[in-house]
Amino acid sequence: MTSRIDIATRRSFLTRGLGVVGIAAGARAVVPDFLVRTALAGDRSVSDQKILVVLQLSGGHDGLSAIVPYGDDAYAKNRQASRIPESDVLKIDDYSGLHPNLTAFKNLLDAGHFAAVQAVGYPTPNQSHFTSMDIWHLADNEARSNSTAKESRFGWIGRYCDLACKDAPNPPMAISLGTGQTPRALNGRLSPGISFSQPQSFRYLGDRGNKERAEAYGKMHETTPTGRSHALDFVTRTAIDANAASSAIRDLAGKYKTAVTYPNGSLAASLKTVAALVAGGLSTRVYYVFQGGYDTHFIQKSRHDALMAELGASVGAFQQDLASQGDAPRVLTMTFSEFGRRVTENGSQGTDHGIAGPMFLVGPGVKPGLHGEPPSLEPDRLVAGRDLQHKIDFRGVYAAVLEKWLGCPSEPVLGGTFEPVDCIA
Amino acid sequence: MKRRVSMWLGIAGAVALWAVGGLRADEPTPLQTAEEAAKKAVASEEVMQNEWNSREMARSATREIARVERSRSESAVADYRRAIEGVTAAEAAAKAARAAADGEPDAAKKTPLVETANQADAAVAAAKANLEQRLAAMHAALDRLIEDSVAGERAANELLVSENGLRDKMAESRAVELKVLEMKAASADAASVDAAKRAIFEMQAVQLWERQLWAGVQQGTLGQIIEMTDHAGRIAADAATIEPDAARKKTLEEFAQRETKGKTDAEKTNGECAAIVAKAISEIYPLRAAAMGGLTPLAPEKWDLAKARHLLVRAGFGGTPQEVKNLHAMGLYAAVDHLVDFHRQAPAPASLDVIPVPLPDPLEGKLRNAFVRGQAAGARNSIDGGQFGALRQWWIKRMVASPRPLQEKLTLFWHGHFATQQSVVQNTYILYHQNQLFREHAAGNFGGLLYGIVHDPVMIRYLDNNLNVVGHPNENLAREIMELFAMGVDQGYTEHDIREAARALTGYTYDNATGQFRYVLKSHDPGDKTIFGKTGPWTGDDLVNLLLEQPSTARFISFKLYEYFVKKDPAPEVVDKMATVLRTNQYELNPMLKNLFLSEEFYSDAAMGTQIKSPVQLVVGMLRDLGAKEATNFGQIDGMIQEMGQQLFEPPDVKGWRYGRSWISSNRVFSRYNAAATLANSVPLASGASGVDLVGLLATEECKTAEDVIQCLAKVCLAKPLNDEQRAKLVAYLGQLPPQAEWAGQKDAINAKLRNVLVLLLCTPEYQVT
């Protein structure tokens, strides 16, 4: 808990430096780099707080092709084109095994650093990508209809950030990498979150190196006028965060050196930047990264194989890098997808939208192994005879991560009481 | 008049439902009595109308006669005046000749002079004789003029009386018809009470419409009276000045006075009619809005420059201060018509219509494919892919330069609504045709768009409907058409409806070689399907109709258009009103868009200046606001828009762009600031100049001080005024400028200075909203 207070203190220093103090001090409109570094990237001795990395698998991940129930005859019966032969499966027990391209996960499991929660979902499932994704982002079943899914509703990570540092406005407590768009999960009352696709282009160039113009730009950004709309207020808060974080992030990412070789691809690039920012001691608590392409309606197998290879290798390299920097013990990576896929294949050698799927947890902080029962493939235990029934509510996994990893009460974040799944050591 | 009659028939049809409870069957109900009265009133109207028509024809004849008479009189007066001048000249010549003859002492020389003088005297006599004739002719012409003018004016005045009578008669009929409608509204059941109230508003609008119509007809009649009296009066007054006979002179003067008074009276009545027309138009719009069940229009007197700018930005992309002034000068109603009835504007210049070439010959592909597997497909993709950038730039250029900005803004809306991605479809040619479909139906009929989209090769390919065949249904298109294109997520359909709709859509595919829609009968599932509780052998075309019947469809489209044009999260009752307009107009979008752009809602504080600009809006709006439509760097501009998170033809997924806050992230704040700064400083223009020309832009504004300059720039760029603190900072940064009159002489230096401060204005949170 001490680390949380530290963040708050440092963050309020930063905020005063940017906004209110800027006027009082008068002379310096633009926050000097050293101040940002002090505020964002304190020295390593105090940067011991736990960090969560959320990895979103977009499109609806086919869990049956990741944790393969090779021991179930119904698996082979339902899957022809996308079936993974028993001989290829990386066996965990005599029922389940990992996809052959997830060797990195198998090695992490053997080292006690990998866990999977099986058959995760939520009541009255929705099979729309967008609605289901909103439900996961907002951790709220009510996100489904147009009238209630208001854009100003806050995401579960945003609500966590609001709670964890309520004395300090505008903390970049959460950073999203890999797309310029901020996921809804990050949006909180105090901060809309930081997001950037590449650290080096994350800067203002309009001053063209002209000192006077740069100063005028700073002055224009130091005020918070009154009587503004919510939209303008949102833009202003985002701009304040961006201006404050820009140079610190570029410096940390630019000077980062690692001996680990990451694979190609945007997921690996994002994870490498996360490693750089973690190693640099940034006070950010949650990082958010993406891997897309899971909506495999059409010829699933070859595409899914490639996705598993990228996922395993990227996360494997990331863990290796964290370990070599000594940060592995304070970083936990959690994956999710908006839903799983249908048990039976469709007519196009693919699978349509399903319901339950697994979540992966990676890092020395996990309680290793498989959690929860594997989803049943028996026809009479499927939803509408087609889809995997969920057995664990995803908010139980969120609750475990919030309480046992981030050290934050889950009830105010999730808006309800959910029994934490026993997956954190 | 036809319109009213057909409406009457509609009402008559509905009357059959009227209940007669409590009264003896042979005794008419009060409603039946009222209806009978209304029928009689309408019939007698027609009699009066015939009478008016014959009067109108007679009036035309007398008007023509009077016109001929006036021109004859005018010539007669002129002839008489020339005859007077002839006499005067002849007398002067005779006098001179006689004097010359009398003064000549030499007898030999005198004789011819006397002869000349005698001839001159004869000429005087002839001129006097001519004068008599001309005077007689003038008297005759003027007598007829007076007679015919009086008759013509009498006819015109009788016509006016007849018009008044017919006007009052029609007003009376409308009142009777209104009474019928009011009686029906009072007894309507809950389900039809709204429709009954709307019929009343419609009738009131018809009432006003007819009143202003008659005022307009009278203006025509009065205009002719004015012309007649003015002309005849002037001729008579002119003739009086040369009339030798005192009695006739007096008659002419009196006639001229009478005509002047007639003209003055007619002008006064004409002014009253003009006021009736103007007032009725401002009242008809709210009534028509109410009749359609729509949103309440803004009071016309609240229309100001800020609202004109708001309209130009939202129903277009923006414009220079001069363009805003022009729109404001039209008045609210005409301004909305101007933007929404964009078919009346010239289309975008033909040079913008560069059609991407179709894919290479399919036979060539097949031949090559037989020898070098994969190469043909690769060649096709690379030719097609090479056009993709050009297609995006073509569209951005249209958005920047088109004289029909709303058409482009709606095309962009439909592209986001019926979202497809080039990265999936990989066929620029068919995407171009899809884009033209959206443009063609932009403010047309939503049913047409929905029909177009189930036949659209792009959508079919994007949502795998080419794989949707009998026996192997693929639900992708069926699901999204309900969830995203027509009804909205979870709005009145079930998973079962989706599965059945997928069956209806089987066999809807496209020909890869030609890029054309194909309906493949053997792939279509001909069996019965039950969709929304209705069973039949439905096809995809039937599905469109079934979707249009769903109330949630009109609501969902209204909801999405409201969010696009006004603000996020509309009140449900506002959406309901828009949906009612859409449904009462059979899904025609034009009346609904007009109702929206006229509405108080659209100009409310909650709407103005509160929308986060999309990347396209930011850049296209900036070029239009700052008068840089002639930009030439559309490749760079396209790149900037992409960097900000909006690649045309590449929305994030089938749900399209989310708009609003989704555009803003810390990264994209910088993308937006950086693009705005670059364009302001260095956008290359067709003229050869680079950077926006603020000296030119501000030439229409008065900028005496640095304070004025900042105020003007802020007005051009921002939806709401700068606060004092920000303004003071910008004024301080701008420093001293020479007087505006001297700017043209040192344009480059002044522009550089102004652009510095412009960039600071563009790179603010305030500039990101509009």
Side-chain angles (χ1 to χ4, degrees):
Chain A
M1 285 300 111
T2 52
S3 59
R4 201 199 307 159
I5 294 159
D6 283 342
I7 305 158
T9 316
R10 280 186 275 124
R11 277 303 313 172
S12 54
F13 178 39
L14 167 67
T15 314
R16 270 187 271 115
L18 272 174
V20 193
V21 173
I23 300 163
R28 300 303 298 254
V30 179
V31 180
D33 277 358
F34 74 85
L35 182 58
V36 177
R37 268 194 225 102
T38 315
L40 278 167
D43 72 79
R44 293 294 300 273
S45 61
V46 296
S47 296
D48 57 352
Q49 72 270 26
K50 301 278 179 61
I51 288 168
L52 172 68
V53 179
V54 178
L55 200 177
Q56 174 175 314
L57 310 179
S58 309
H61 177 210
D62 184 32
L64 292 177
S65 296
I67 300 179
V68 183
Y70 72 93
D72 195 327
D73 291 344
Y75 169 69
K77 206 174 78 208
N78 280 299
R79 295 297 177 91
Q80 278 103 40
S82 65
R83 188 168 64 87
I84 295 156
E86 182 178 342
S87 55
D88 291 354
V89 172
L90 308 175
K91 290 172 186 163
I92 299 172
D93 53 35
D94 55 10
Y95 182 86
S96 303
L98 289 168
H99 187 283
N101 289 348
L102 293 177
T103 46
F105 283 6
K106 182 67 168 60
N107 295 339
L108 286 162
L109 177 64
D110 294 344
H113 295 170
F114 175 86
V117 185
Q118 308 190 86
V120 185
Y122 52 90
T124 44
N126 193 294
Q127 291 178 314
S128 148
H129 290 294
F130 322 104
T131 309
S132 193
M133 197 56 101
D134 281 350
I135 289 168
W136 282 81
H137 279 234
L138 304 180
D140 184 355
N141 260 15
E142 300 305 311
R144 59 187 58 209
S145 79
N146 279 324
S147 54
T148 55
K150 299 200 172 171
E151 62 164 352
S152 55
R153 292 270 303 279
F154 302 121
W156 75 279
I157 297 169
R159 294 197 296 262
Y160 155 71
C161 293
D162 287 344
L163 194 73
C165 46
K166 48 175 166 253
D167 301 328
N170 298 318
M173 290 274 291
I175 294 182
S176 161
L177 300 88
T179 122
Q181 195 172 4
T182 314
R184 286 188 76 181
L186 264 60
N187 185 26
R189 182 177 295 103
L190 299 178
S191 168
I194 291 278
S195 76
F196 57 86
S197 47
Q198 282 166 9
Q200 293 319 316
S201 60
F202 184 50
R203 63 185 306 186
Y204 176 60
L205 299 165
D207 54 26
R208 296 188 297 183
N210 177 322
K211 191 165 159 282
E212 256 180 56
R213 209 171 319 164
E215 270 180 27
Y217 170 81
K219 279 184 193 165
M220 285 298 286
H221 280 77
E222 71 194 6
T223 51
T224 314
T226 52
R228 299 134 49 95
S229 66
H230 293 307
L232 181 54
D233 191 53
F234 175 80
V235 180
T236 306
R237 284 185 299 131
T238 311
I240 286 171
D241 278 5
N243 282 318
S246 160
S247 57
I249 286 172
R250 277 183 292 119
D251 285 356
L252 293 178
K255 74 182 181 197
Y256 185 63
K257 298 278 184 290
T258 175
V260 174
T261 309
Y262 280 82
N264 290 330
S266 61
L267 173 61
S270 295
L271 287 171
K272 186 179 177 185
T273 304
V274 173
L277 301 182
V278 170
L282 209 62
S283 64
T284 299
R285 301 294 304 271
V286 183
Y287 293 93
Y288 203 100
V289 297
F290 302 85
Q291 187 193 19
Y294 283 94
D295 197 15
T296 47
H297 286 278
F298 179 64
I299 310 184
Q300 173 172 299
K301 185 147 193 318
S302 53
R303 290 168 62 190
H304 188 263
D305 287 353
L307 290 168
M308 289 294 98
E310 184 191 22
L311 177 67
S314 303
V315 174
F318 178 57
Q319 286 306 124
Q320 204 188 329
D321 195 6
L322 290 174
S324 68
Q325 306 284 350
D327 286 313
R330 64 189 190 100
V331 179
L332 173 75
T333 300
M334 176 185 86
T335 76
F336 81 96
S337 190
E338 66 267 40
F339 41 63
R341 305 198 76 81
R342 201 157 285 180
V343 175
T344 315
E345 287 169 354
N346 62 20
S348 325
Q349 299 178 30
T351 51
D352 292 331
H353 301 177
I355 295 183
M359 293 174 76
F360 305 139
L361 296 156
V362 181
V366 306
K367 202 169 256 184
L370 300 179
H371 299 273
E373 290 169 50
S376 172
L377 301 181
E378 295 304 315
D380 58 348
R381 296 183 63 191
L382 297 177
V383 178
R386 299 190 307 268
D387 292 315
L388 299 175
Q389 172 77 54
H390 86 276
K391 290 177 179 165
I392 291 177
D393 193 302
F394 70 93
R395 288 163 291 189
V397 184
Y398 285 2
V401 168
L402 285 165
E403 295 197 357
K404 297 197 172 168
W405 184 252
L406 295 171
C408 169
S410 66
E411 198 271 336
V413 173
L414 301 177
T417 309
F418 295 90
E419 181 61 33
V421 177
D422 188 21
C423 55
I424 307 290
Chain B
M1 303 293 140
K2 268 207 174 108
R3 175 182 154 186
R4 187 189 44 68
V5 173
S6 67
M7 191 183 69
W8 165 249
L9 291 175
I11 296 162
V15 167
L17 301 170
W18 182 247
V20 289
L23 285 166
R24 288 218 323 271
D26 55 345
E27 206 169 285
T29 64
L31 180 68
Q32 280 168 341
T33 311
E35 278 171 347
E36 201 49 45
K39 213 182 274 179
K40 276 186 193 150
V42 171
S44 68
E45 233 175 69
E46 276 164 27
V47 174
M48 285 192 78
Q49 201 171 326
N50 289 338
E51 190 188 314
W52 178 71
N53 280 338
S54 56
R55 273 183 201 276
E56 164 67 26
M57 275 189 286
R59 193 274 310 252
S60 299
T62 54
R63 187 186 63 203
E64 278 315 302
I65 291 166
R67 191 198 302 280
V68 170
E69 241 18 274
R70 287 201 304 275
S71 91
R72 271 200 200 138
S73 307
E74 216 164 24
S75 325
V77 174
D79 288 347
Y80 178 62
R81 178 166 280 131
R82 269 197 302 277
I84 294 173
E85 285 161 8
V87 170
T88 310
E91 282 177 346
K95 197 177 170 193
R98 186 63 60 199
D102 290 351
E104 179 56 54
D106 185 340
K109 288 179 181 169
K110 188 169 182 143
T111 308
L113 289 177
V114 170
E115 185 57 26
T116 307
N118 288 344
Q119 283 171 6
D121 287 345
V124 168
K128 284 187 172 166
N130 179 50
L131 183 70
E132 286 307 313
Q133 278 175 20
R134 293 296 166 199
L135 182 61
M138 183 177 86
H139 285 162
L142 288 172
D143 286 350
R144 280 202 302 276
L145 171 73
I146 292 172
E147 193 180 317
D148 291 337
S149 293
V150 169
E153 286 153 27
R154 190 187 307 119
N157 278 309
E158 278 171 8
L159 184 70
L160 275 181
V161 172
S162 165
E163 284 165 0
N164 281 336
L166 194 44
R167 177 196 66 195
D168 295 345
K169 176 69 201 162
M170 285 175 73
E172 207 178 286
S173 302
R174 292 305 84 71
V176 177
E177 287 182 318
L178 251 183
K179 198 178 159 200
V180 173
L181 293 173
E182 277 160 4
M183 287 167 83
K184 288 173 68 180
S187 63
D189 56 36
S192 56
V193 71
D194 278 350
K197 279 184 186 161
R198 289 206 299 275
I200 291 173
F201 289 132
E202 174 79 29
M203 184 59 78
Q204 288 171 338
V206 168
Q207 235 175 356
L208 273 176
W209 176 258
E210 285 181 350
R211 201 162 101 201
Q212 66 88 30
L213 192 85
W214 281 116
V217 167
Q218 292 196 328
Q219 280 187 291
T221 309
L222 289 161
Q224 281 152 12
I225 294 177
I226 291 165
E227 184 202 345
M228 214 184 284
T229 49
D230 177 59
H231 197 191
R234 276 191 286 114
I235 293 168
D238 185 30
T241 60
I242 52 175
E243 174 57 58
D245 179 80
R248 279 188 169 275
K249 190 181 168 83
K250 188 159 178 278
T251 307
L252 284 173
E253 282 167 352
E254 280 168 5
F255 176 69
Q257 275 170 16
R258 178 180 178 284
E259 294 298 273
T260 306
K261 183 174 181 302
K263 183 186 161 204
T264 313
D265 290 351
E267 278 173 345
K268 184 164 167 273
T269 315
N270 196 42
E272 289 163 6
C273 287
I276 289 172
V277 171
K279 184 161 179 286
I281 284 175
S282 74
E283 288 170 355
I284 283 171
Y285 274 90
L287 278 172
R288 279 172 63 187
M292 293 189 297
L295 302 166
T296 309
L298 183 77
E301 64 272 16
K302 290 188 181 159
W303 175 244
D304 57 23
L305 277 167
K307 293 189 176 71
R309 184 183 183 278
H310 175 67
L311 177 64
L312 194 57
V313 170
R314 295 285 181 91
F317 295 94
T320 60
Q322 188 57 51
E323 288 167 326
V324 172
K325 280 181 197 161
N326 293 346
L327 196 71
H328 176 253
M330 291 179 194
L332 171 63
Y333 303 126
V336 169
D337 287 352
H338 175 79
L339 286 167
V340 182
D341 292 336
F342 50 71
H343 55 277
R344 292 187 185 155
Q345 316 301 322
S351 64
L352 295 185
D353 282 300
V354 185
I355 304 170
V357 297
L359 295 177
D361 190 297
L363 184 62
E364 186 193 347
K366 276 180 191 157
L367 289 173
R368 275 210 221 154
N369 204 22
F371 296 107
V372 191
R373 187 170 293 280
Q375 186 182 318
R380 286 164 68 104
N381 281 349
S382 96
I383 288 172
D384 196 68
Q387 303 187 104
F388 184 37
L391 182 67
R392 288 195 307 268
Q393 292 166 37
W394 164 82
W395 191 11
I396 297 168
K397 194 172 173 187
R398 281 190 84 103
M399 290 192 267
V400 170
S402 173
R404 304 168 161 191
L406 179 60
Q407 189 176 30
E408 297 306 319
K409 194 135 196 190
L410 281 163
T411 303
L412 183 61
F413 171 79
W414 295 119
H415 171 43
H417 180 78
F418 297 112
T420 55
Q421 296 170 272
Q422 160 72 358
S423 60
V424 174
V425 176
Q426 300 196 341
N427 189 329
T428 303
Y429 181 64
I430 60 175
L431 268 173
Y432 165 79
H433 284 283
Q434 185 202 50
N435 194 249
Q436 292 289 41
L437 170 84
F438 295 151
R439 187 167 291 105
E440 187 185 338
H441 294 274
N445 194 293
F446 176 70
L449 277 163
L450 201 55
Y451 180 88
I453 216 70
V454 302
H455 294 83
D456 174 30
V458 181
M459 189 57 79
I460 288 170
R461 178 163 176 170
Y462 184 61
L463 293 180
D464 306 325
N465 208 62
N466 48 330
L467 307 174
N468 184 20
V469 295
V470 59
H472 295 279
N474 183 306
E475 295 171 10
N476 222 353
L477 178 58
R479 179 181 300 281
E480 306 307 8
I481 209 169
M482 290 189 197
E483 178 179 326
L484 298 175
F485 302 158
M487 299 170 70
V489 65
D490 293 342
Q491 297 298 306
Y493 59 89
T494 63
E495 288 290 317
H496 180 261
D497 289 330
I498 289 172
R499 281 195 295 278
E500 295 284 275
R503 289 177 59 219
L505 285 165
T506 47
Y508 278 54
T509 184
Y510 69 99
D511 184 327
N512 197 29
T514 62
Q516 301 286 317
F517 171 79
R518 287 279 177 275
Y519 175 62
V520 179
L521 190 60
K522 71 174 166 52
S523 305
H524 181 71
D525 181 342
D528 275 357
K529 300 108 189 162
T530 302
I531 304 173
F532 312 133
K534 288 192 175 178
T535 304
W538 308 128
T539 63
D541 294 22
D542 297 323
L543 177 63
V544 170
N545 286 328
L546 291 167
L547 286 164
L548 293 177
E549 285 169 10
Q550 301 304 305
S552 54
T553 299
R555 274 202 301 271
F556 182 59
I557 298 310
S558 302
F559 172 86
K560 285 204 67 176
L561 281 165
Y562 182 99
E563 288 212 327
Y564 185 70
F565 283 114
V566 189
K567 64 183 177 61
K568 291 271 181 179
D569 300 326
E573 57 272 22
V574 168
V575 174
D576 283 345
K577 284 183 176 177
M578 291 173 68
T580 306
V581 176
L582 201 53
R583 284 171 70 86
T584 51
N585 291 288
Q586 285 84 38
Y587 282 97
E588 285 294 328
L589 294 158
N590 179 305
M592 182 240 240
L593 290 169
K594 281 187 182 170
N595 180 241
L596 182 64
F597 295 140
L598 284 176
S599 68
E600 284 173 340
E601 184 82 22
F602 180 72
Y603 298 100
S604 66
D605 286 346
M608 287 178 69
T610 62
Q611 186 178 61
I612 295 177
K613 293 173 182 171
S614 72
V616 166
Q617 174 64 53
L618 185 81
V619 173
V620 174
M622 176 179 161
L623 295 175
R624 279 187 177 259
D625 287 348
L626 299 174
K629 280 195 237 184
E630 301 297 317
T632 58
N633 60 332
F634 285 98
Q636 185 187 18
I637 288 170
D638 176 37
M640 289 170 168
I641 292 173
Q642 288 184 45
E643 181 71 29
M644 296 177 212
Q646 190 175 28
Q647 183 180 4
L648 294 175
F649 304 101
E650 198 61 50
D653 50 44
V654 64
K655 200 177 178 180
W657 293 290
R658 310 304 196 265
Y659 288 88
R661 293 182 181 203
S662 76
W663 297 124
I664 297 298
S665 70
S666 37
N667 197 38
R668 288 181 179 161
V669 165
F670 290 139
S671 309
R672 292 162 81 102
Y673 285 10
N674 295 342
T678 303
L679 285 177
N681 282 316
S682 60
V683 60
L685 300 169
S687 62
S690 84
V692 295
D693 176 16
L694 294 172
V695 171
L697 189 81
L698 296 181
T700 60
E701 310 297 299
E702 197 180 341
C703 298
K704 283 184 184 154
T705 62
E707 177 90 21
D708 290 346
V709 173
I710 299 301
Q711 291 282 35
C712 279
L713 284 176
K715 213 169 63 189
V716 174
C717 296
L718 305 178
K720 296 200 168 153
L722 280 170
N723 68 45
D724 295 348
E725 207 181 320
Q726 284 173 312
R727 201 174 63 239
K729 284 173 187 168
L730 290 173
V731 171
Y733 179 68
L734 178 61
Q736 286 301 310
L737 282 176
Q740 196 175 6
E742 294 169 23
W743 288 4
Q746 36 182 315
K747 203 169 163 187
D748 288 349
I750 300 288
N751 260 332
K753 211 162 177 201
L754 291 175
R755 278 182 213 139
N756 266 344
V757 74
L758 174 71
V759 165
L760 287 177
L761 208 50
L762 301 179
C763 300
T764 53
E766 284 76 7
Y767 189 67
Q768 312 310 311
V769 299
T770 192

